[in-house]
């Protein structure tokens, strides 16, 4: 038997103190993580609400200071949820029903992917993407009907009135389906008609409103010239004005599309990531909203689960504030519980 000499008491004490220190790997705390009070709600099974792991968008009624009244979206929901942001904390609020589509007696998800705010209105957009086939439905006619119902539900832009005096959001959403027709009319999208995201089909994941124009960022398709953002006159959707639709293609890296958009100063922050559902790198760019050029601001670190076996993918981006060191932004991560709200600092554009 091999015997080891006992360590001196002073050495054991030093080791214990080292392990107890905040910087010790075993108990290290993520300095960028925000706490959540209450429950951020995800997919609902029957009457049972589950904690979200599918947050995909956030926007706030003010762009500086705290507290802020904000709206988040989960892509498995038919509703959006109000939240209040204080520095380092998200407080969950009430759900606001957006659609009531059903198929075969069951709710059909909006597949909400982006949220924006402008002039006392919140906007929420569906993916406008073709749903995947359900392997549990062998009947072709029923499968086609289910896909059609899903595409109808997700092909919507929803507007909600915000009252700054009360801090409340209207429960009476206005709905526009005009964007689907504009997408169908674009020659660049014709080769991808009827395709799912896995096949490079149309899928919106970013939304912003700036200067009376709406910007829809596409995760797919990614064209030879880059990721696609469509700009449309905002008045087209709810006031019947001319669309004046324009397509912009930004070089965000090979195979990378838009994962979110966020207005910042006189431009737009673009969250870029893989079009396909594969591990990859994510980055933040700055775009002037008019050209076909984008400036890389920061390559984001990898966000992994606790076991280090799965990548959490940045899905939503919210500017918080700035100082001499740059711009502080909050990220919401797909597949992580309640989005694991995390902050990161990026260079000033």
């Amino acid at each position: 038997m091999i015997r080891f000499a006992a360590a001196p008491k002073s050495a054991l004490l030093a080791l214990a103190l080292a392990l107890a220190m905040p910087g010790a790997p075993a108990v290290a705390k993520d300095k960028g993580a925000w706490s959540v009070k209450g429950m951020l709600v995800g997919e609902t099974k029957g009457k049972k609400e589950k904690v979200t792991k599918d947050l995909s968008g956030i926007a706030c009624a003010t762009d500086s200071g705290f507290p802020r009244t904000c709206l988040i979206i989960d892509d498995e929901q038919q509703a959006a949820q109000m939240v209040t942001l204080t520095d380092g904390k998200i407080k969950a609020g009430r759900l606001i029903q957006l659609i009531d589509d059903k198929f075969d007696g069951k709710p059909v998800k909006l597949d909400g992917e982006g949220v924006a705010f402008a002039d006392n209105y919140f906007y929420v957009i569906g993916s406008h993407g073709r749903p995947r086939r359900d392997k549990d439905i062998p009947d072709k006619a029923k499968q086609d009907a289910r896909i059609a119902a899903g595409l109808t539900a997700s092909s919507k832009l929803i507007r909600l009135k915000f009252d700054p005096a009360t801090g409340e959001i209207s429960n009476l959403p206005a709905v526009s389906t005009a964007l689907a027709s504009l997408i169908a009319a674009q020659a660049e999208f014709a080769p991808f008609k009827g395709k799912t995201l896995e096949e490079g089909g149309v899928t919106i994941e970013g939304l912003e409103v700036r200067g009376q124009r709406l910007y829809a960022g596409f995760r797919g398709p990614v064209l030879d010239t880059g990721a696609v953002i469509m700009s449309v006159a905002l008045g087209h959707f709810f006031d019947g004005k001319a669309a004046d639709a324009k397509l912009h293609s930004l070089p965000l890296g090979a195979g990378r599309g838009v994962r979110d958009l966020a207005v910042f100063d006189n431009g737009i922050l673009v969250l870029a990531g893989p079009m396909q559902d594969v591990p990859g790198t994510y980055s933040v760019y700055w775009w002037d909203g008019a050209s076909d050029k984008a400036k890389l601001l920061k390559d984001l670190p990898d966000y992994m689960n606790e076991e280090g076996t799965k990548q959490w993918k940045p899905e939503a981006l919210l500017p918080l504030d700035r100082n001499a060191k740059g711009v502080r932004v909050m990220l919401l991560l797909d597949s992580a519980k309640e989005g694991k709200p995390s902050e990161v600092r990026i260079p000033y554009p």
Side-chain angles (χ1 to χ4, degrees):
M1 181 186 301
I2 300 175
R3 296 184 182 275
F4 295 91
K9 290 184 179 181
S10 58
L12 293 174
L13 178 59
L15 176 62
L17 289 174
L19 292 174
M21 290 177 66
V27 294
K29 182 180 179 181
D30 183 355
K31 294 181 180 180
W34 283 36
S35 64
V36 177
K37 183 178 180 181
M39 184 171 76
L40 303 184
V41 180
E43 184 178 11
T44 301
K45 296 288 188 180
K47 294 184 178 180
K48 186 176 181 180
E49 295 177 342
K50 298 173 62 178
V51 174
T52 181
K53 289 187 177 181
D54 298 288
L55 288 181
S56 53
I58 183 171
C60 301
T62 51
D63 58 10
S64 62
F66 297 100
R68 296 189 202 177
T69 299
C70 309
L71 194 69
I72 59 172
I73 189 73
D74 172 293
D75 62 23
E76 297 293 327
Q77 269 275 17
Q78 286 194 324
Q81 187 171 10
M82 293 183 67
V83 297
T84 302
L85 266 58
T86 53
D87 201 354
K89 182 183 294 185
I90 299 178
K91 181 180 179 181
R94 66 186 180 92
L95 294 173
I96 299 175
Q97 192 74 17
L98 300 177
I99 65 171
D100 58 4
D101 296 53
K102 287 185 172 56
F103 176 74
D104 203 20
K106 298 178 181 178
V108 181
K109 65 183 181 181
L110 170 65
D111 197 18
E113 292 288 357
V115 188
F117 181 85
D119 299 326
N120 291 334
Y121 285 102
F122 280 99
Y123 297 86
V124 179
I125 200 166
S127 70
H128 287 65
R130 180 181 175 86
R132 303 174 180 89
R133 298 186 67 82
D134 187 336
K135 61 182 180 181
D136 295 327
I137 301 179
D139 182 75
K140 183 179 184 304
K142 186 174 182 179
Q143 183 78 257
D144 290 346
R146 184 196 68 84
I147 289 173
L151 184 57
T152 296
S154 71
S155 297
K156 294 175 181 175
L157 173 69
I158 297 165
R159 185 176 72 175
L160 297 163
K161 179 70 174 177
F162 175 72
D163 184 347
T166 63
E168 285 296 319
I169 298 173
S170 171
N171 283 356
L172 299 174
V175 179
S176 171
T177 59
L179 186 58
S181 298
L182 296 177
I183 292 171
Q186 303 300 314
E188 291 86 346
F189 289 147
F192 308 97
K193 183 178 179 180
K195 295 186 176 182
T196 64
L197 174 63
E198 289 76 14
E199 300 166 318
V202 167
T203 303
I204 293 172
E205 286 211 358
L207 177 68
E208 258 306 351
V209 174
R210 170 179 173 266
Q212 295 304 306
R213 292 190 69 82
L214 178 141
Y215 295 84
F218 291 77
R219 175 174 171 179
V222 174
L223 307 179
D224 291 340
T225 50
V228 180
I229 297 177
M230 178 182 280
S231 166
V232 183
L234 184 61
H236 176 69
F237 299 103
F238 300 100
D239 302 320
K241 296 182 179 180
D244 186 28
K246 299 176 182 177
L247 279 190
H248 302 274
S249 182
L250 305 182
L252 304 180
R256 297 208 297 184
V258 175
R259 305 307 285 261
D260 200 15
L261 300 173
V263 166
F264 182 75
D265 280 2
N266 60 343
I268 296 175
L269 298 178
V270 181
L271 178 61
M275 180 189 72
Q276 298 291 356
D277 191 15
V278 296
T281 58
Y282 291 76
S283 306
V284 179
Y285 288 78
W286 183 85
W287 176 50
D288 62 11
S291 71
D292 287 335
K293 297 179 180 180
K295 177 183 178 182
L296 175 64
L297 298 181
K298 187 179 182 69
D299 292 322
L300 297 173
D302 284 340
Y303 294 93
M304 305 295 292
N305 64 2
E306 288 84 352
E307 295 78 24
T309 57
K310 183 176 182 179
Q311 183 183 24
W312 287 330
K313 302 162 188 176
E315 283 283 303
L317 173 72
L318 179 71
L320 296 172
D321 51 33
R322 74 188 84 187
N323 61 22
K325 295 181 180 179
V327 183
R328 187 170 62 130
V329 301
M330 184 177 71
L331 298 171
L332 296 177
L333 310 177
D334 183 39
S335 300
K337 180 181 177 181
E338 296 182 309
K340 191 176 173 57
S342 306
E343 64 180 58
V344 64
R345 194 166 292 277
I346 62 176
Y348 186 74

